[in-house]
Amino acid sequence: MKAKSSEAWTVENLEAFLAAPTTFAPGTRMVMAVPDPQARADLIAYIRTLPPAREAR
């Protein structure tokens, strides 16, 4: 994930990561993909409803 740290989590990047985590970010510890396109879309829609992360103090 460090190689991707400068990239924003766009809908496209989330889609690619959830579809094939080890292809999107080689070396990631997340090895479980979300193969169903509708499940990925639902997950991304849910994530978009969450408030932005707060800055670390």
Side-chain angles (χ1 to χ4, degrees):
M1 296 298 290
K2 288 181 183 181
K4 299 285 185 175
S5 65
S6 64
E7 294 186 37
W9 282 110
T10 62
V11 171
E12 294 79 15
N13 283 348
L14 280 169
E15 169 73 25
F17 180 68
L18 293 171
T22 57
T23 300
F24 180 80
T28 185
R29 296 174 96 179
M30 180 169 161
V31 295
M32 185 176 189
V34 181
D36 178 46
Q38 186 60 55
R40 285 194 307 272
D42 291 345
L43 182 56
I44 291 168
Y46 169 73
I47 290 170
R48 293 183 78 188
T49 70
L50 299 175
R54 290 184 283 163
E55 296 281 328
R57 294 181 183 189

PDB file of all heavy atoms in Angstrom, residues 7-32:
ATOM      1  N   GLU A   7      -1.795   8.265  -3.975  1.00  0.00           N
ATOM      2  CA  GLU A   7      -3.019   8.261  -4.774  1.00  0.00           C
ATOM      3  C   GLU A   7      -4.243   8.429  -3.886  1.00  0.00           C
ATOM      4  O   GLU A   7      -4.292   7.922  -2.778  1.00  0.00           O
ATOM      5  CB  GLU A   7      -3.148   6.943  -5.554  1.00  0.00           C
ATOM      6  CG  GLU A   7      -2.084   6.776  -6.611  1.00  0.00           C
ATOM      7  CD  GLU A   7      -2.319   5.543  -7.462  1.00  0.00           C
ATOM      8  OE1 GLU A   7      -3.488   5.230  -7.764  1.00  0.00           O
ATOM      9  OE2 GLU A   7      -1.336   4.902  -7.811  1.00  0.00           O
ATOM     10  N   ALA A   8      -5.224   9.146  -4.408  1.00  0.00           N
ATOM     11  CA  ALA A   8      -6.485   9.330  -3.684  1.00  0.00           C
ATOM     12  C   ALA A   8      -7.352   8.086  -3.858  1.00  0.00           C
ATOM     13  O   ALA A   8      -7.250   7.377  -4.855  1.00  0.00           O
ATOM     14  CB  ALA A   8      -7.212  10.548  -4.236  1.00  0.00           C
ATOM     15  N   TRP A   9      -8.211   7.846  -2.880  1.00  0.00           N
ATOM     16  CA  TRP A   9      -9.152   6.731  -2.976  1.00  0.00           C
ATOM     17  C   TRP A   9     -10.365   7.191  -3.766  1.00  0.00           C
ATOM     18  O   TRP A   9     -11.394   7.539  -3.210  1.00  0.00           O
ATOM     19  CB  TRP A   9      -9.537   6.217  -1.593  1.00  0.00           C
ATOM     20  CG  TRP A   9      -8.489   5.355  -0.996  1.00  0.00           C
ATOM     21  CD1 TRP A   9      -7.693   5.660   0.065  1.00  0.00           C
ATOM     22  CD2 TRP A   9      -8.100   4.056  -1.429  1.00  0.00           C
ATOM     23  NE1 TRP A   9      -6.840   4.616   0.320  1.00  0.00           N
ATOM     24  CE2 TRP A   9      -7.065   3.614  -0.593  1.00  0.00           C
ATOM     25  CE3 TRP A   9      -8.515   3.209  -2.453  1.00  0.00           C
ATOM     26  CZ2 TRP A   9      -6.450   2.377  -0.729  1.00  0.00           C
ATOM     27  CZ3 TRP A   9      -7.904   1.974  -2.599  1.00  0.00           C
ATOM     28  CH2 TRP A   9      -6.892   1.577  -1.747  1.00  0.00           C
ATOM     29  N   THR A  10     -10.223   7.189  -5.078  1.00  0.00           N
ATOM     30  CA  THR A  10     -11.328   7.523  -5.960  1.00  0.00           C
ATOM     31  C   THR A  10     -12.236   6.303  -6.100  1.00  0.00           C
ATOM     32  O   THR A  10     -11.862   5.187  -5.711  1.00  0.00           O
ATOM     33  CB  THR A  10     -10.817   7.916  -7.353  1.00  0.00           C
ATOM     34  OG1 THR A  10     -10.139   6.779  -7.918  1.00  0.00           O
ATOM     35  CG2 THR A  10      -9.859   9.103  -7.296  1.00  0.00           C
ATOM     36  N   VAL A  11     -13.405   6.515  -6.672  1.00  0.00           N
ATOM     37  CA  VAL A  11     -14.304   5.389  -6.928  1.00  0.00           C
ATOM     38  C   VAL A  11     -13.602   4.362  -7.812  1.00  0.00           C
ATOM     39  O   VAL A  11     -13.688   3.157  -7.577  1.00  0.00           O
ATOM     40  CB  VAL A  11     -15.622   5.880  -7.578  1.00  0.00           C
ATOM     41  CG1 VAL A  11     -16.467   4.717  -8.050  1.00  0.00           C
ATOM     42  CG2 VAL A  11     -16.397   6.736  -6.602  1.00  0.00           C
ATOM     43  N   GLU A  12     -12.873   4.836  -8.807  1.00  0.00           N
ATOM     44  CA  GLU A  12     -12.169   3.926  -9.715  1.00  0.00           C
ATOM     45  C   GLU A  12     -11.097   3.119  -8.987  1.00  0.00           C
ATOM     46  O   GLU A  12     -10.941   1.920  -9.227  1.00  0.00           O
ATOM     47  CB  GLU A  12     -11.549   4.704 -10.886  1.00  0.00           C
ATOM     48  CG  GLU A  12     -12.554   5.343 -11.803  1.00  0.00           C
ATOM     49  CD  GLU A  12     -13.156   6.646 -11.272  1.00  0.00           C
ATOM     50  OE1 GLU A  12     -12.604   7.234 -10.307  1.00  0.00           O
ATOM     51  OE2 GLU A  12     -14.199   7.059 -11.805  1.00  0.00           O
ATOM     52  N   ASN A  13     -10.337   3.769  -8.102  1.00  0.00           N
ATOM     53  CA  ASN A  13      -9.302   3.063  -7.347  1.00  0.00           C
ATOM     54  C   ASN A  13      -9.908   2.066  -6.366  1.00  0.00           C
ATOM     55  O   ASN A  13      -9.395   0.957  -6.202  1.00  0.00           O
ATOM     56  CB  ASN A  13      -8.393   4.042  -6.602  1.00  0.00           C
ATOM     57  CG  ASN A  13      -7.397   4.708  -7.523  1.00  0.00           C
ATOM     58  OD1 ASN A  13      -7.216   4.309  -8.670  1.00  0.00           O
ATOM     59  ND2 ASN A  13      -6.750   5.745  -7.038  1.00  0.00           N
ATOM     60  N   LEU A  14     -10.989   2.447  -5.705  1.00  0.00           N
ATOM     61  CA  LEU A  14     -11.662   1.508  -4.807  1.00  0.00           C
ATOM     62  C   LEU A  14     -12.182   0.304  -5.576  1.00  0.00           C
ATOM     63  O   LEU A  14     -12.057  -0.833  -5.122  1.00  0.00           O
ATOM     64  CB  LEU A  14     -12.823   2.198  -4.089  1.00  0.00           C
ATOM     65  CG  LEU A  14     -12.451   3.057  -2.893  1.00  0.00           C
ATOM     66  CD1 LEU A  14     -13.660   3.878  -2.448  1.00  0.00           C
ATOM     67  CD2 LEU A  14     -11.940   2.223  -1.756  1.00  0.00           C
ATOM     68  N   GLU A  15     -12.778   0.550  -6.739  1.00  0.00           N
ATOM     69  CA  GLU A  15     -13.284  -0.533  -7.585  1.00  0.00           C
ATOM     70  C   GLU A  15     -12.155  -1.497  -7.945  1.00  0.00           C
ATOM     71  O   GLU A  15     -12.286  -2.713  -7.796  1.00  0.00           O
ATOM     72  CB  GLU A  15     -13.909   0.057  -8.852  1.00  0.00           C
ATOM     73  CG  GLU A  15     -14.233  -0.923  -9.927  1.00  0.00           C
ATOM     74  CD  GLU A  15     -15.431  -1.815  -9.636  1.00  0.00           C
ATOM     75  OE1 GLU A  15     -16.306  -1.423  -8.856  1.00  0.00           O
ATOM     76  OE2 GLU A  15     -15.481  -2.919 -10.198  1.00  0.00           O
ATOM     77  N   ALA A  16     -11.027  -0.949  -8.398  1.00  0.00           N
ATOM     78  CA  ALA A  16      -9.894  -1.787  -8.787  1.00  0.00           C
ATOM     79  C   ALA A  16      -9.330  -2.559  -7.594  1.00  0.00           C
ATOM     80  O   ALA A  16      -9.005  -3.742  -7.710  1.00  0.00           O
ATOM     81  CB  ALA A  16      -8.806  -0.926  -9.432  1.00  0.00           C
ATOM     82  N   PHE A  17      -9.219  -1.891  -6.446  1.00  0.00           N
ATOM     83  CA  PHE A  17      -8.675  -2.540  -5.257  1.00  0.00           C
ATOM     84  C   PHE A  17      -9.588  -3.659  -4.767  1.00  0.00           C
ATOM     85  O   PHE A  17      -9.132  -4.763  -4.473  1.00  0.00           O
ATOM     86  CB  PHE A  17      -8.463  -1.507  -4.146  1.00  0.00           C
ATOM     87  CG  PHE A  17      -7.912  -2.100  -2.880  1.00  0.00           C
ATOM     88  CD1 PHE A  17      -6.628  -2.608  -2.827  1.00  0.00           C
ATOM     89  CD2 PHE A  17      -8.673  -2.128  -1.724  1.00  0.00           C
ATOM     90  CE1 PHE A  17      -6.111  -3.152  -1.661  1.00  0.00           C
ATOM     91  CE2 PHE A  17      -8.174  -2.660  -0.549  1.00  0.00           C
ATOM     92  CZ  PHE A  17      -6.887  -3.171  -0.523  1.00  0.00           C
ATOM     93  N   LEU A  18     -10.877  -3.392  -4.695  1.00  0.00           N
ATOM     94  CA  LEU A  18     -11.802  -4.405  -4.202  1.00  0.00           C
ATOM     95  C   LEU A  18     -11.934  -5.576  -5.166  1.00  0.00           C
ATOM     96  O   LEU A  18     -12.132  -6.712  -4.745  1.00  0.00           O
ATOM     97  CB  LEU A  18     -13.174  -3.785  -3.935  1.00  0.00           C
ATOM     98  CG  LEU A  18     -13.212  -2.778  -2.784  1.00  0.00           C
ATOM     99  CD1 LEU A  18     -14.553  -2.062  -2.760  1.00  0.00           C
ATOM    100  CD2 LEU A  18     -12.925  -3.447  -1.461  1.00  0.00           C
ATOM    101  N   ALA A  19     -11.803  -5.310  -6.464  1.00  0.00           N
ATOM    102  CA  ALA A  19     -11.905  -6.373  -7.465  1.00  0.00           C
ATOM    103  C   ALA A  19     -10.684  -7.287  -7.436  1.00  0.00           C
ATOM    104  O   ALA A  19     -10.800  -8.503  -7.597  1.00  0.00           O
ATOM    105  CB  ALA A  19     -12.079  -5.778  -8.854  1.00  0.00           C
ATOM    106  N   ALA A  20      -9.506  -6.703  -7.233  1.00  0.00           N
ATOM    107  CA  ALA A  20      -8.260  -7.484  -7.257  1.00  0.00           C
ATOM    108  C   ALA A  20      -7.206  -6.769  -6.408  1.00  0.00           C
ATOM    109  O   ALA A  20      -6.344  -6.076  -6.955  1.00  0.00           O
ATOM    110  CB  ALA A  20      -7.781  -7.663  -8.691  1.00  0.00           C
ATOM    111  N   PRO A  21      -7.273  -6.923  -5.091  1.00  0.00           N
ATOM    112  CA  PRO A  21      -6.362  -6.188  -4.213  1.00  0.00           C
ATOM    113  C   PRO A  21      -4.880  -6.391  -4.525  1.00  0.00           C
ATOM    114  O   PRO A  21      -4.113  -5.425  -4.540  1.00  0.00           O
ATOM    115  CB  PRO A  21      -6.690  -6.718  -2.816  1.00  0.00           C
ATOM    116  CG  PRO A  21      -8.013  -7.364  -2.925  1.00  0.00           C
ATOM    117  CD  PRO A  21      -8.174  -7.789  -4.334  1.00  0.00           C
ATOM    118  N   THR A  22      -4.463  -7.628  -4.772  1.00  0.00           N
ATOM    119  CA  THR A  22      -3.032  -7.873  -4.989  1.00  0.00           C
ATOM    120  C   THR A  22      -2.554  -7.390  -6.353  1.00  0.00           C
ATOM    121  O   THR A  22      -1.364  -7.161  -6.538  1.00  0.00           O
ATOM    122  CB  THR A  22      -2.698  -9.365  -4.821  1.00  0.00           C
ATOM    123  OG1 THR A  22      -3.498 -10.136  -5.713  1.00  0.00           O
ATOM    124  CG2 THR A  22      -2.958  -9.820  -3.390  1.00  0.00           C
ATOM    125  N   THR A  23      -3.464  -7.220  -7.293  1.00  0.00           N
ATOM    126  CA  THR A  23      -3.095  -6.647  -8.589  1.00  0.00           C
ATOM    127  C   THR A  23      -2.980  -5.131  -8.468  1.00  0.00           C
ATOM    128  O   THR A  23      -2.049  -4.529  -8.990  1.00  0.00           O
ATOM    129  CB  THR A  23      -4.147  -7.006  -9.661  1.00  0.00           C
ATOM    130  OG1 THR A  23      -4.213  -8.424  -9.779  1.00  0.00           O
ATOM    131  CG2 THR A  23      -3.800  -6.407 -11.010  1.00  0.00           C
ATOM    132  N   PHE A  24      -3.931  -4.519  -7.780  1.00  0.00           N
ATOM    133  CA  PHE A  24      -3.922  -3.064  -7.599  1.00  0.00           C
ATOM    134  C   PHE A  24      -2.742  -2.618  -6.753  1.00  0.00           C
ATOM    135  O   PHE A  24      -2.086  -1.636  -7.066  1.00  0.00           O
ATOM    136  CB  PHE A  24      -5.230  -2.601  -6.948  1.00  0.00           C
ATOM    137  CG  PHE A  24      -5.286  -1.117  -6.727  1.00  0.00           C
ATOM    138  CD1 PHE A  24      -5.592  -0.258  -7.767  1.00  0.00           C
ATOM    139  CD2 PHE A  24      -5.042  -0.575  -5.475  1.00  0.00           C
ATOM    140  CE1 PHE A  24      -5.646   1.116  -7.563  1.00  0.00           C
ATOM    141  CE2 PHE A  24      -5.089   0.788  -5.261  1.00  0.00           C
ATOM    142  CZ  PHE A  24      -5.394   1.638  -6.307  1.00  0.00           C
ATOM    143  N   ALA A  25      -2.487  -3.333  -5.674  1.00  0.00           N
ATOM    144  CA  ALA A  25      -1.420  -2.960  -4.745  1.00  0.00           C
ATOM    145  C   ALA A  25      -0.609  -4.203  -4.387  1.00  0.00           C
ATOM    146  O   ALA A  25      -0.847  -4.833  -3.350  1.00  0.00           O
ATOM    147  CB  ALA A  25      -2.010  -2.328  -3.496  1.00  0.00           C
ATOM    148  N   PRO A  26       0.341  -4.577  -5.250  1.00  0.00           N
ATOM    149  CA  PRO A  26       1.161  -5.758  -4.958  1.00  0.00           C
ATOM    150  C   PRO A  26       1.791  -5.655  -3.562  1.00  0.00           C
ATOM    151  O   PRO A  26       2.251  -4.592  -3.155  1.00  0.00           O
ATOM    152  CB  PRO A  26       2.231  -5.722  -6.050  1.00  0.00           C
ATOM    153  CG  PRO A  26       1.587  -4.970  -7.179  1.00  0.00           C
ATOM    154  CD  PRO A  26       0.715  -3.940  -6.503  1.00  0.00           C
ATOM    155  N   GLY A  27       1.733  -6.752  -2.836  1.00  0.00           N
ATOM    156  CA  GLY A  27       2.292  -6.780  -1.494  1.00  0.00           C
ATOM    157  C   GLY A  27       1.278  -6.466  -0.407  1.00  0.00           C
ATOM    158  O   GLY A  27       1.593  -6.558   0.773  1.00  0.00           O
ATOM    159  N   THR A  28       0.056  -6.089  -0.813  1.00  0.00           N
ATOM    160  CA  THR A  28      -0.960  -5.793   0.192  1.00  0.00           C
ATOM    161  C   THR A  28      -1.272  -7.043   1.005  1.00  0.00           C
ATOM    162  O   THR A  28      -1.118  -8.159   0.521  1.00  0.00           O
ATOM    163  CB  THR A  28      -2.261  -5.258  -0.453  1.00  0.00           C
ATOM    164  OG1 THR A  28      -3.161  -4.888   0.587  1.00  0.00           O
ATOM    165  CG2 THR A  28      -2.926  -6.292  -1.336  1.00  0.00           C
ATOM    166  N   ARG A  29      -1.692  -6.830   2.231  1.00  0.00           N
ATOM    167  CA  ARG A  29      -2.052  -7.955   3.085  1.00  0.00           C
ATOM    168  C   ARG A  29      -3.506  -8.368   2.861  1.00  0.00           C
ATOM    169  O   ARG A  29      -3.945  -9.397   3.341  1.00  0.00           O
ATOM    170  CB  ARG A  29      -1.811  -7.587   4.538  1.00  0.00           C
ATOM    171  CG  ARG A  29      -0.320  -7.346   4.789  1.00  0.00           C
ATOM    172  CD  ARG A  29      -0.104  -6.837   6.163  1.00  0.00           C
ATOM    173  NE  ARG A  29       0.236  -7.987   7.007  1.00  0.00           N
ATOM    174  CZ  ARG A  29       0.515  -7.908   8.283  1.00  0.00           C
ATOM    175  NH1 ARG A  29       0.478  -6.744   8.885  1.00  0.00           N
ATOM    176  NH2 ARG A  29       0.830  -8.979   8.974  1.00  0.00           N
ATOM    177  N   MET A  30      -4.260  -7.530   2.139  1.00  0.00           N
ATOM    178  CA  MET A  30      -5.649  -7.881   1.837  1.00  0.00           C
ATOM    179  C   MET A  30      -5.642  -8.787   0.613  1.00  0.00           C
ATOM    180  O   MET A  30      -5.301  -8.356  -0.486  1.00  0.00           O
ATOM    181  CB  MET A  30      -6.497  -6.644   1.560  1.00  0.00           C
ATOM    182  CG  MET A  30      -7.937  -6.994   1.243  1.00  0.00           C
ATOM    183  SD  MET A  30      -8.957  -5.519   1.251  1.00  0.00           S
ATOM    184  CE  MET A  30     -10.349  -6.108   0.334  1.00  0.00           C
ATOM    185  N   VAL A  31      -5.997 -10.007   0.816  1.00  0.00           N
ATOM    186  CA  VAL A  31      -5.977 -10.956  -0.302  1.00  0.00           C
ATOM    187  C   VAL A  31      -7.383 -11.373  -0.727  1.00  0.00           C
ATOM    188  O   VAL A  31      -7.555 -12.062  -1.723  1.00  0.00           O
ATOM    189  CB  VAL A  31      -5.140 -12.210   0.033  1.00  0.00           C
ATOM    190  CG1 VAL A  31      -3.678 -11.837   0.219  1.00  0.00           C
ATOM    191  CG2 VAL A  31      -5.675 -12.903   1.275  1.00  0.00           C
ATOM    192  N   MET A  32      -8.390 -10.947   0.028  1.00  0.00           N
ATOM    193  CA  MET A  32      -9.763 -11.325  -0.291  1.00  0.00           C
ATOM    194  C   MET A  32     -10.398 -10.267  -1.191  1.00  0.00           C
ATOM    195  O   MET A  32     -10.559  -9.112  -0.794  1.00  0.00           O
ATOM    196  CB  MET A  32     -10.579 -11.468   0.985  1.00  0.00           C
ATOM    197  CG  MET A  32     -11.961 -11.969   0.757  1.00  0.00           C
ATOM    198  SD  MET A  32     -12.740 -12.186   2.372  1.00  0.00           S
ATOM    199  CE  MET A  32     -14.210 -13.004   1.878  1.00  0.00           C
TER     200      MET A  32
END
